[in-house]
Amino acid sequence: MEIKAKILEKLQNVLDPELGINVVDLGLIYKIEVKDGTAFILMTLTTPGCPLHDSIAGGVKRALRDIEGIQDVNVQITWNPPWSPDRMSEKALRQLGFLS
Amino acid sequence: MTANHTYETNIRIPFSFIIFGLLAFFLSQILLFLSTRQLSTGEMRLPVVLSAVHLLVIGFALMTAMGAMYQLVPVVFLTPIWNESFAFIQMVVTSLGILSFSISLAFNIQMAIFSGLLLTCGIVMFLWQMFMTLKKQKKRTVITLFVGTALICLLLTIGLGLTLAYHFWSGRQLIDHDLIFKAHILLGFSGWFTLLIFGFSYKMVPMFSLAHHFSMNTARYVYIFYISGLVLTFISFITANDRLLSAGLQLMAVGYGLFAYHMFAILKKRMKKKLDKPFLFALLAIVFGVILHIAAAGFSFESEIHSRIFSIIIYCYLFGWIVLSIIGYLYKIVPFLWWTHRYSKKIGKEAVPTLKQMINEKWIVMECCLFVASLIGMIAALASSSTGLFYLAQGGMVLFSGLFACTIGSVLLK
């Protein structure tokens, strides 16, 4: 399996505890890059004042540490562009009751 | 722009404030229950009632608000707390101040000035902490304006409170005692608590409902109308002008109505269709607030303003708007705090519970229904001067405060 696919798979275990939806389905992950054993994750949160800021960013780091070939994880939180609901997957929209 | 700062506050700070608040809430309700006979006759300014009310307003509402602010200010304003050690010292000073002040009010009101000074020290330390924290905020928003003005009102409230305590101690009045008393209540309830809840609602309502793409334009009109009303009402106390009082209360009602409308407009843009139960109770408090502001403005037209009616409105304002808002948000904040402490280092490594699984929602619904039923009972008891109903309704409040503390405590077992 390609390393980026492995990363995405692992990130599906990182849930936003307020919503109970993982960061991938929420559309929080903007960019994934792997260079010289370091994974660079550019991501956002649903709101800039999210109290779960540190918890989710830390969760992303921990989730990727066990992947073979990754020695270090660098997580960057960005507010630009801000997160928008249309980034959510159909599964996430269903979980929120937005789609039946 | 990317950011990798940490905004988490040491969990012991908010928790120590909140635990103190829960105990003060329970104690205040027991004291009010014991004063039922006097309260049912409409007599509010009794030593034990003053003690119970201050335990509720300062011991519970203010301490909980402070604890919540230590947690929320860093994340809402993206600014870490200025000095965490200072926060612990402030907690100890304020707690001692509240306890000694409540005891003084109940047993020796003349001496309340001394414990009041200790309490003032604690609150001023908090204000200093917030001033130093907010000063570092890079981009100020309308929420900063609401919270900043609320903090100024808190400072004025304690200044007025201290003046009242000086009157009791010296036996002479620096300024008309009744004027100071009214201004103390106005700035404490509508200036400090209401503006603070307004400010944080602008963050928490979209966050808990996952609302996006809404306009914040109405917020500035909320601020302008509410503050104008607050200032006019304050001036009406000084000038003893009933027309001005009526105009001030009407402006406040317009400001509050705009706030309620704005919250509704934000909720219409939400992605989370099924809202959590505790959050719904915080929203119910807004509905009570609208009714109370309209009632206060409406009754101010009466040629003879009945102090009994205003006493009931103030009671409802405290319980139905301020306390219910805090309760609703506390049911959300405590699971979050404990989850952060217990599970934030496990997320991504193993399965962790969601915040909803940290607290029993069925209990919350039952407790909040008990609270609302007791509140309605208290209103009926105050209006009819029925001692029996008073005992029943206040008994409900005592039961609620105990169950509330247990439910919040049960989160710590998760």
Side-chain angles (χ1 to χ4, degrees):
Chain A
M1 197 192 284
E2 198 205 338
I3 198 146
K4 281 190 186 178
K6 273 187 191 170
I7 288 175
L8 271 177
E9 193 187 297
K10 286 279 186 182
L11 288 179
Q12 287 184 356
N13 297 325
V14 182
L15 299 187
D16 177 325
E18 167 64 19
L19 302 168
I21 303 171
N22 70 65
V23 292
V24 178
D25 281 318
L26 272 174
L28 300 181
I29 307 298
Y30 284 170
K31 203 164 141 191
I32 298 172
E33 263 180 19
V34 181
K35 204 175 166 188
D36 303 328
T38 302
F40 295 93
I41 310 292
L42 183 67
M43 65 177 292
T44 192
L45 299 169
T46 54
T47 172
C50 178
L52 295 159
H53 182 286
D54 294 354
S55 306
I56 294 176
V60 167
K61 273 189 179 180
R62 277 186 292 277
L64 306 185
R65 270 184 198 147
D66 296 343
I67 298 177
E68 207 184 304
I70 291 181
Q71 283 89 47
D72 197 15
V73 183
N74 189 339
V75 180
Q76 291 282 315
I77 304 279
T78 183
W79 311 117
N80 190 21
W83 178 83
S84 157
D86 30 81
R87 292 191 57 85
M88 283 192 286
S89 71
E90 230 181 271
K91 188 181 153 197
L93 289 169
R94 228 171 247 124
Q95 268 182 268
L96 291 171
F98 209 76
L99 291 179
S100 51
Chain B
M1 188 188 91
T2 57
N4 262 355
H5 310 293
T6 177
Y7 299 116
E8 276 179 15
T9 310
N10 182 342
I11 194 174
R12 288 186 185 89
I13 300 172
F15 257 119
S16 50
F17 280 90
I18 290 168
I19 289 168
F20 182 95
L22 291 172
L23 295 173
F25 187 24
F26 185 59
L27 191 58
S28 71
Q29 295 316 296
I30 289 177
L31 285 178
L32 284 176
F33 185 78
L34 296 175
S35 331
T36 294
R37 203 168 289 281
Q38 297 93 318
L39 273 174
S40 62
T41 60
E43 188 53 69
M44 301 277 185
R45 294 197 206 180
L46 293 165
V48 70
V49 176
L50 285 178
S51 174
V53 169
H54 280 85
L55 260 181
L56 175 69
V57 176
I58 310 175
F60 168 65
L62 177 62
M63 284 294 269
T64 307
M66 283 177 178
M69 280 181 82
Y70 275 120
Q71 182 61 37
L72 291 172
V73 162
V75 287
V76 171
F77 298 113
L78 302 176
T79 313
I81 284 294
W82 169 65
N83 188 328
E84 289 195 349
S85 308
F86 189 74
F88 283 112
I89 301 167
Q90 186 252 315
M91 195 274 160
V92 174
V93 174
T94 314
S95 306
L96 291 174
I98 292 168
L99 289 174
S100 55
F101 187 65
S102 302
I103 292 168
S104 307
L105 286 177
F107 298 107
N108 194 346
I109 204 163
Q110 282 81 14
M111 292 296 132
I113 181 94
F114 301 107
S115 47
L117 280 168
L118 182 64
L119 174 59
T120 303
C121 275
I123 297 173
V124 169
M125 285 169 80
F126 171 75
L127 291 168
W128 180 250
Q129 174 86 270
M130 287 300 130
F131 172 73
M132 295 303 283
T133 302
L134 293 175
K135 207 176 75 170
K136 287 189 284 179
Q137 191 193 4
K138 286 184 186 124
K139 197 180 161 198
R140 289 185 172 79
T141 62
V142 71
I143 302 177
T144 322
L145 192 64
F146 278 107
V147 175
T149 313
L151 290 167
I152 292 168
C153 288
L154 176 61
L155 182 66
L156 294 171
T157 305
I158 55 163
L160 291 164
L162 214 53
T163 312
L164 290 172
Y166 175 80
H167 289 176
F168 288 124
W169 177 68
S170 66
R172 64 189 184 93
Q173 296 184 18
L174 290 175
I175 312 167
D176 179 58
H177 192 79
D178 251 19
L179 156 70
I180 302 289
F181 181 69
K182 285 181 196 167
H184 179 62
I185 294 175
L186 176 77
L187 291 175
F189 284 9
S190 299
W192 156 243
F193 283 115
T194 297
L195 291 176
L196 187 75
I197 299 170
F198 278 6
F200 281 113
S201 294
Y202 276 115
K203 191 71 216 176
M204 291 196 280
V205 169
M207 199 166 73
F208 292 143
S209 62
L210 204 60
H212 277 262
H213 304 314
F214 53 84
S215 162
M216 277 299 283
N217 285 342
T218 314
R220 78 176 76 148
Y221 299 106
V222 172
Y223 184 85
I224 292 167
F225 276 100
Y226 205 80
I227 293 293
S228 309
L230 209 58
V231 171
L232 271 192
T233 308
F234 182 75
I235 296 170
S236 80
F237 294 158
I238 299 169
T239 56
N241 184 330
D242 286 349
R243 277 191 185 171
L244 214 53
L245 172 69
S246 188
L249 292 175
Q250 283 171 60
L251 280 175
M252 282 170 73
V254 172
Y256 197 99
L258 282 171
F259 166 74
Y261 159 76
H262 200 187
M263 289 297 120
F264 177 70
I266 291 172
L267 285 170
K268 275 186 87 173
K269 298 271 185 183
R270 74 184 193 271
M271 293 301 291
K272 197 174 176 181
K273 289 295 148 195
K274 203 175 167 202
L275 299 172
D276 294 342
K277 301 287 187 301
F279 179 49
L280 285 174
F281 282 100
L283 295 176
L284 178 65
I286 299 178
V287 177
F288 284 147
V290 172
I291 297 167
L292 292 166
H293 275 87
I294 293 172
F299 280 113
S300 69
F301 283 114
E302 300 270 324
S303 52
E304 194 186 319
I305 295 170
H306 300 288
S307 63
R308 191 176 175 85
I309 289 173
F310 270 88
S311 295
I312 295 174
I313 290 175
I314 291 168
Y315 175 88
C316 296
Y317 195 84
L318 173 61
F319 279 84
W321 159 236
I322 298 170
V323 173
L324 185 57
S325 291
I326 294 174
I327 288 168
Y329 284 129
L330 210 54
Y331 279 128
K332 294 284 295 176
I333 291 170
V334 171
F336 159 72
L337 285 173
W338 193 245
W339 185 95
T340 307
H341 172 66
R342 197 88 161 69
Y343 298 106
S344 84
K345 298 281 183 283
K346 293 181 180 171
I347 182 171
K349 225 163 42 179
E350 56 186 83
V352 294
T354 61
L355 295 181
K356 217 175 166 170
Q357 290 165 334
M358 299 288 289
I359 196 159
N360 189 333
E361 272 209 344
K362 279 184 189 162
W363 272 100
I364 294 175
V365 173
M366 281 195 287
E367 285 165 22
C368 285
C369 288
L370 173 65
F371 178 88
V372 173
S374 305
L375 174 61
I376 294 168
M378 283 295 283
I379 299 165
L382 285 167
S384 63
S385 299
S386 159
T387 312
L389 192 55
F390 215 105
Y391 271 114
L392 189 69
Q394 188 52 36
M397 278 294 180
V398 173
L399 181 63
F400 167 78
S401 60
L403 289 172
F404 177 55
C406 290
T407 302
I408 294 289
S410 73
V411 174
L412 311 187
L413 303 173
K414 300 269 178 180

